[in-house]
Amino acid sequence: SIRGNAEKLLRLNAGLSPKVMTAKVKDRIMYRVIVGPVAPERRKTTSKRLAKTGFADVWGIHLKPGIGVQGNAMLAALP
């Protein structure tokens, strides 16, 4: 996604403490918005909340220490 879209989603989901991470995909820089950590029992409701604010696809990930967010988190990608 483009940086502007990622920043818009940060504002819309400020209560979830989102962060923007960059990823290189096929030689392009993509911006991914992550929120978390999210407890396993809260993933479904958090996913629904994110979908209502414009996230096209949401899935759970586990980040290693040193990435910026540790433990269970949700990663959202824009269309």
Side-chain angles (χ1 to χ4, degrees), residues 56-75:
D57 194 10
V58 179
W59 61 96
I61 61 169
H62 185 82
L63 299 175
K64 293 180 181 180
I67 296 280
V69 176
Q70 296 179 17
N72 295 320
M74 300 300 290
L75 173 69

Side-chain angles (χ1 to χ4, degrees), residues 40-66:
E41 64 273 8
R42 303 268 314 146
R43 284 185 186 167
K44 191 172 187 176
T45 56
T46 302
S47 293
K48 287 179 182 179
R49 177 177 173 181
L50 292 169
K52 287 179 182 178
T53 60
F55 286 97
D57 194 10
V58 179
W59 61 96
I61 61 169
H62 185 82
L63 299 175
K64 293 180 181 180

Side-chain angles (χ1 to χ4, degrees), residues 1-3 21-31:
S1 72
I2 59 174
R3 178 92 186 167
M21 295 184 74
T22 57
K24 191 171 184 178
V25 180
K26 296 183 181 179
D27 296 324
R28 287 181 39 197
I29 299 296
M30 302 295 288
Y31 298 93

